[in-house]
Amino acid sequence: MSTIHTQDFKSVERKDTGVGDDNEDPENQASVCSAGFGSHSTSHLSQAIDMFNCLVASSDVISVENLLSSCSVHQKALSEKLDDRQFNLLLNCSSVADRARLLSVSSPFAASWLSVIPSEGLGLHLTAPIFQVALKWWLGLDTSGGSKCSLCPGSVLDHLSHHAVTCKRGGDVVTRHNRLRDCIVEVCRRAHIGVQVEVGNNLTPSHSKTRPADILIPNWVMGRTAALDVSVTSPLNPQTLLEAGVTATAAALTTEERKHDENDPKCCELGSVCIPVVAESYGAWGREATLLFSTHALRIATLSNKPKSVTLIDIYGRLNLQLVRANATSILARLMPPSY
């Protein structure tokens, strides 16, 4: 129904009026808007507007008169209103867990892994079983098959695979962390930024057994060293589920605060600044990670003479591909045939 609507508007805009044509002279466009409709065109537009108004919220309802008088309505803006309405309806009829998942997967760049060009040589590929499980998990479909966790006796796998992607047995959580860390290190090197990996033991007497940084970037801010703490959290964690079901990236922001509470004292003692690099399991990233990647993307874009937007999509695509692959691998590793 929405497809018919957008096609109707597109036809009216291009053939009958020129409304939405950015290259049209404003004065000519205004005159066309006010006088360019015949009775047949007006009827056609009225039908399209009626269909549109049936699908959007009451605050987004438009009329033929408003459309003709404003001359600034574009198909993209109308399509966004339709998408927002459908998304809000989906949220309203979903459970808290599904709302948390939907808000996370719809966050900026969370779906960037789907646009990565597969390359086995570069490690940018997914095998058929991994890709199938990843898509089912991403869409909120049941991947458990009614089985129990093969590594946790007695633990039944939930249909959103929260246990499977957070289970600490078997080493999958550590593997996922290390892959993301290595991918971030590669981003830093592409930006010509020197880094050190997994440093910090025995740096101070009071914190001799701590590791203040997964990645250490010397001279990052005003001569201070940046200590990057990479971690992955799930928006389905019971501690943050209610908030994550209302606010996108709530789980990542909560983890950032916790990381600052844990690491700021020892980083201050070492003369460094703590930067939590937090990803949600569905691919949304925290505020500080977003700022970090934006800075790196600008440097890489300048060095490679490419647009920053293209570089940013590439960075998130590579990171989230590693994240999704690790999650799907963890899900597959815990599937057991149901007992009858």
Side-chain angles (χ1 to χ4, degrees):
M1 194 170 186
S2 60
T3 303
I4 296 174
H5 157 74
T6 54
Q7 290 176 345
D8 287 344
F9 261 106
K10 189 174 182 180
S11 174
V12 171
E13 288 173 355
R14 291 185 176 177
K15 296 181 180 179
D16 296 325
T17 67
V19 175
D21 188 350
D22 294 331
N23 297 322
E24 183 81 22
D25 180 73
E27 294 183 0
N28 291 338
Q29 192 179 54
S31 63
V32 170
C33 286
S34 61
F37 278 95
S39 59
H40 175 73
S41 298
T42 305
S43 174
H44 188 68
L45 180 61
S46 298
Q47 292 177 9
I49 289 178
D50 289 341
M51 295 170 64
F52 175 82
N53 290 338
C54 290
L55 295 172
V56 299
S58 57
S59 58
D60 293 326
V61 168
I62 61 175
S63 65
V64 175
E65 292 75 16
N66 291 337
L67 180 65
L68 297 181
S69 62
S70 64
C71 292
S72 60
V73 179
H74 298 279
Q75 182 181 345
K76 180 180 179 181
L78 298 175
S79 296
E80 288 177 350
K81 293 179 184 295
L82 287 170
D83 292 340
D84 291 342
R85 176 61 172 170
Q86 295 301 314
F87 183 71
N88 289 331
L89 290 174
L90 182 60
L91 282 179
N92 292 337
C93 66
S94 299
S95 65
V96 176
D98 267 321
R99 287 201 300 270
R101 177 186 64 83
L102 287 168
L103 289 172
S104 188
V105 300
S106 62
S107 297
F109 301 107
S112 57
W113 65 279
L114 292 167
S115 63
V116 175
I117 299 176
S119 172
E120 187 171 356
L122 296 176
L124 303 176
H125 71 291
L126 299 174
T127 62
I130 293 293
F131 185 65
Q132 291 171 7
V133 170
L135 278 182
K136 291 181 66 177
W137 164 74
W138 177 264
L139 295 173
L141 302 177
D142 189 359
T143 59
S144 67
S147 63
K148 296 181 179 180
C149 180
S150 60
L151 302 178
C152 301
S155 297
V156 179
L157 297 175
D158 57 286
H159 77 282
L160 290 179
S161 300
H162 169 66
H163 173 82
V165 300
T166 58
C167 179
K168 295 184 178 180
R169 295 194 179 188
D172 291 309
V173 169
V174 175
T175 300
R176 179 180 62 190
H177 168 274
N178 292 343
R179 286 180 177 176
L180 285 179
R181 178 205 61 201
D182 293 343
C183 195
I184 294 171
V185 169
E186 180 61 27
V187 171
C188 292
R189 289 173 177 165
R190 287 173 58 195
H192 291 190
I193 297 174
V195 299
Q196 295 174 286
V197 181
E198 301 288 358
V199 296
N201 286 333
N202 301 317
L203 290 179
T204 63
S206 59
H207 298 107
S208 60
K209 295 183 180 181
T210 62
R211 189 190 69 248
D214 293 311
I215 304 170
L216 207 65
I217 305 179
N219 301 319
W220 179 247
V221 179
M222 299 183 67
R224 300 180 66 187
T225 298
L228 274 55
D229 189 351
V230 181
S231 61
V232 179
T233 187
S234 172
L236 305 184
N237 281 331
Q239 298 86 347
T240 57
L241 178 59
L242 291 178
E243 189 175 358
V246 177
T247 307
T249 70
L253 297 178
T254 300
T255 303
E256 283 183 347
E257 294 176 0
R258 178 172 59 82
K259 289 294 184 180
H260 275 298
D261 291 340
E262 294 174 354
N263 297 330
D264 279 355
K266 56 189 176 185
C267 284
C268 183
E269 184 177 345
L270 296 170
S272 59
V273 55
C274 172
I275 301 180
V277 183
V278 183
E280 293 186 354
S281 54
Y282 287 104
W285 290 81
R287 183 185 300 111
E288 297 192 49
T290 301
L291 293 174
L292 179 75
F293 297 149
S294 179
T295 302
H296 283 20
L298 181 59
R299 292 175 65 103
I300 296 172
T302 302
L303 291 167
S304 61
N305 197 27
K306 293 182 179 179
K308 179 184 175 182
S309 57
V310 174
T311 305
L312 206 54
I313 292 175
D314 178 67
I315 291 174
Y316 282 107
R318 291 169 181 258
L319 286 167
N320 285 343
L321 186 70
Q322 297 292 341
L323 180 63
V324 169
R325 178 196 288 150
N327 288 336
T329 301
S330 184
I331 293 170
L332 279 175
R334 283 156 180 78
L335 292 179
M336 293 179 61
S339 57
Y340 296 99

